[in-house]
Amino acid sequence: MAWDFETDPQFQELLDWADAFVRDEVEPLDLIWPHLQFTPLDETRRKVVDPLKAQVRAKGLWATHLGPELGGQGYGQLKLALLNEILGRSQWAPIIFGCQAPDTGNAEIIAHYGTLEQKEQYLRPLLDGEVFSCYSMTEPQGGADPTQFKTSAVRDGDDWVINGYKFFSSNASTAAFLIVMVVTNPDVSPYQGMSMFLVPTDTPGVNIIRDSALYGESDGHGSHALIHYDNVRVPNSAVLGGEGQAFVIAQIRLGGGRIHHAMRTIGLSQWALDMMCERVLSRHTAGSLLADKQAIQAYIADSWAQLQQFRLLVLHTAWKIDKYNDYKKVRKDIAAVKVVMPTVLHDIAWRAMQVHGALGVTNEMPFLGMVTGAAVMGLADGPTEVHKTTVAKQVLRDYQGTDGQWPTEWLPGKREAAQARYAEFLGMVSGTAGSDLEVGNL
């Protein structure tokens, strides 16, 4: 859709409904069932969650990132951005709206690259909201560099046998299946020698060694798995998108995932700013409201400006994705969004925490969780430093160096050229440099 800083009234009505629905019906789930959003529903939670999902479906807002043939609305990234701003306030909201990570990205690549059999076995239950999935890519020794991956799959007749370790495989313990990125041909470049496999979590040899918790979470609430793939045997039909296609698939998946994280981060940052503003208008100290203190006013101004800049960058990037329908053409923009995102969330959450005083650092307020989340956003889908390199390389493609001794914008040289261009108006003629008619000397 075209966007000129105004949202279509009909879509705005849906956004207004989603805003009230999330605030009144969904956010309470974060308080009564924290850490359970990626756990298969028991009978009690199903009685609450299924009716909420039904309301979302009735409004046409279920899994809107998918096309109508898959039960969604086929929203472009701009509409998704405006909706995800709202959903970002709540841990449960993406589940209720059928657009939670990592399942959104996993569903998109299965829909795009999967066979009919794979779509029936994995995609349909995922879209129905009945199962969860896991993207198993990072390795303990590899970190953010897939070229260092060692987990491999070797052909054995009509099967493949997977061996190796994967780390930080989020939600593996509650997922029905994993998408695993492994080396299938070590004799060629990693960019052509890696493949993706769809692996049911209960396949023999899939051993979850431990679930790491984020700082501040109790050990029992960790959801980021270290997995040992120990002679995991899968059929050739488990290959997703063809042998050697892992890097192509990963870039498509991660490009969308990065912008979706940013969309939700806008909502989370706005929530922190809202709490900050309420606090400073409610708290008196040293003879006046906190809101009257210049240091606090600077907090508010800096936070609002940071958030607006970030939001416009995200929305413009989403618009460009819709316009070009090619993530490669928007690679620089997506990387820039990923660079800015953790800093914006960290800074606003930290200021909000500060104005809440001692209360702000307790588990009775969400700020330290936001700060930890900002750190996670600086690493998820690639570390900030890597994305800065991407931005710089993409920017530099539009420039070239100069062979001259001085920069092309060297003012004395430009001044001389300007004088030569307009010599007749300045009374200058060739060979009169230094005469009384010369202008512009310093």
Side-chain angles (χ1 to χ4, degrees):
M1 74 175 184
W3 198 63
D4 56 0
F5 298 96
E6 289 185 345
T7 305
D8 175 78
Q10 186 175 359
F11 186 58
Q12 186 61 53
E13 288 183 10
L14 289 175
L15 293 176
D16 292 341
W17 178 87
D19 182 60
F21 178 74
V22 169
R23 182 179 60 253
D24 298 336
E25 304 292 343
V26 182
E27 289 181 10
L29 303 185
D30 297 335
L31 302 174
I32 61 174
W33 293 319
H35 310 296
L36 292 179
Q37 63 269 26
F38 287 102
T39 301
L41 297 174
D42 59 19
E43 183 177 349
T44 299
R45 280 180 281 124
R46 184 175 294 278
K47 290 179 180 179
V48 175
V49 171
D50 281 357
L52 294 178
K53 289 182 177 179
Q55 291 186 59
V56 171
R57 291 179 187 272
K59 282 289 185 178
L61 292 174
W62 174 263
T64 53
H65 59 290
L66 298 171
E69 72 281 3
L70 296 174
Q73 296 294 321
Y75 279 179
Q77 297 297 329
L78 184 55
K79 278 190 171 182
L80 289 175
L82 296 170
L83 178 60
N84 272 281
E85 286 183 20
I86 297 169
L87 306 187
R89 302 197 310 255
S90 166
Q91 296 176 352
W92 272 92
I95 300 288
I96 301 300
F97 282 73
C99 60
Q100 68 279 1
D103 297 328
T104 48
N106 293 344
E108 286 174 348
I109 60 175
I110 297 173
H112 189 76
Y113 292 100
T115 64
L116 291 177
E117 179 185 3
Q118 289 171 339
K119 291 177 182 178
E120 185 62 29
Q121 181 177 356
Y122 299 106
L123 182 59
R124 181 51 56 192
L126 198 60
L127 299 183
D128 290 340
E130 290 300 318
V131 302
F132 299 108
S133 62
C134 168
Y135 189 65
S136 190
M137 177 178 175
T138 304
E139 296 190 6
Q141 81 293 336
D145 184 2
T147 66
Q148 302 301 310
F149 288 176
K150 304 298 182 185
T151 300
S152 65
V154 178
R155 285 298 295 262
D156 184 19
D158 293 332
D159 296 337
W160 292 86
V161 180
I162 303 173
N163 280 284
Y165 289 85
K166 292 289 184 179
F167 182 53
F168 226 77
S169 294
S170 302
N171 304 327
S173 292
T174 57
F177 67 92
L178 313 113
I179 299 180
V180 191
M181 184 171 174
V182 302
V183 177
T184 49
N185 186 352
D187 298 325
V188 299
S189 164
Y191 298 99
Q192 287 81 43
M194 303 186 76
S195 305
M196 287 191 183
F197 288 84
L198 291 160
V199 181
T201 312
D202 59 2
T203 303
V206 176
N207 301 319
I208 297 178
I209 298 174
R210 70 172 187 271
D211 278 315
S212 297
L214 299 179
Y215 190 83
E217 296 177 342
S218 63
D219 289 342
H221 290 142
S223 60
H224 308 287
L226 172 64
I227 305 177
H228 181 200
Y229 293 91
D230 185 10
N231 289 315
V232 176
R233 182 176 292 271
V234 295
N236 188 52
S237 59
V239 177
L240 177 63
E243 186 178 346
Q245 296 301 305
F247 263 88
V248 175
I249 299 172
Q251 287 307 310
I252 291 176
R253 184 197 179 279
L254 294 174
R258 289 161 184 155
I259 192 70
H260 294 162
H261 279 314
M263 296 168 184
R264 290 186 286 268
T265 299
I266 293 171
L268 200 57
S269 300
Q270 181 64 57
W271 183 30
L273 178 57
D274 292 344
M275 289 185 283
M276 189 194 317
C277 291
E278 179 190 76
R279 179 69 169 183
V280 304
L281 289 169
S282 307
R283 189 78 165 178
H284 285 78
T285 186
S288 66
L289 283 170
L290 279 177
D292 294 331
K293 313 297 185 186
Q294 287 186 334
I296 300 301
Q297 292 169 353
Y299 278 2
I300 300 297
D302 288 344
S303 298
W304 185 86
Q306 269 187 294
L307 182 54
Q308 291 303 308
Q309 291 167 346
F310 176 56
R311 182 173 187 261
L312 289 173
L313 176 62
V314 172
L315 291 173
H316 185 233
T317 300
W319 176 83
K320 291 178 76 173
I321 295 173
D322 290 345
K323 177 179 176 64
Y324 297 117
N325 195 29
D326 184 352
Y327 281 111
K328 291 182 180 179
K329 290 186 176 181
V330 199
R331 186 182 179 192
K332 173 180 62 181
D333 307 78
I334 294 174
V337 163
K338 186 67 171 57
V339 167
V340 175
M341 173 169 49
T343 301
V344 171
L345 177 57
H346 170 275
D347 289 355
I348 298 175
W350 193 275
R351 296 179 192 120
M353 180 176 65
Q354 188 74 8
V355 302
H356 280 76
L359 179 64
V361 299
T362 69
N363 61 4
E364 297 177 8
M365 297 302 290
F367 302 121
L368 278 174
M370 292 180 176
V371 171
T372 301
V376 173
M377 288 297 99
L379 295 169
D381 295 340
T384 298
E385 293 79 5
V386 171
H387 292 293
K388 284 185 176 181
T389 298
T390 297
V391 172
K393 288 181 177 179
Q394 294 287 318
V395 169
L396 289 173
R397 288 182 178 182
D398 295 330
Y399 295 87
Q400 60 183 14
T402 176
D403 295 328
Q405 182 176 4
W406 306 111
T408 56
E409 295 301 312
W410 184 56
L411 293 179
K414 294 185 70 175
R415 183 179 299 111
E416 182 178 353
Q419 292 170 346
R421 180 182 182 90
Y422 295 104
E424 61 179 299
F425 300 102
L426 300 174
M428 296 180 63
V429 294
S430 179
T432 60
S435 70
D436 291 339
L437 297 177
E438 185 174 358
V439 297
N441 270 345
L442 296 177

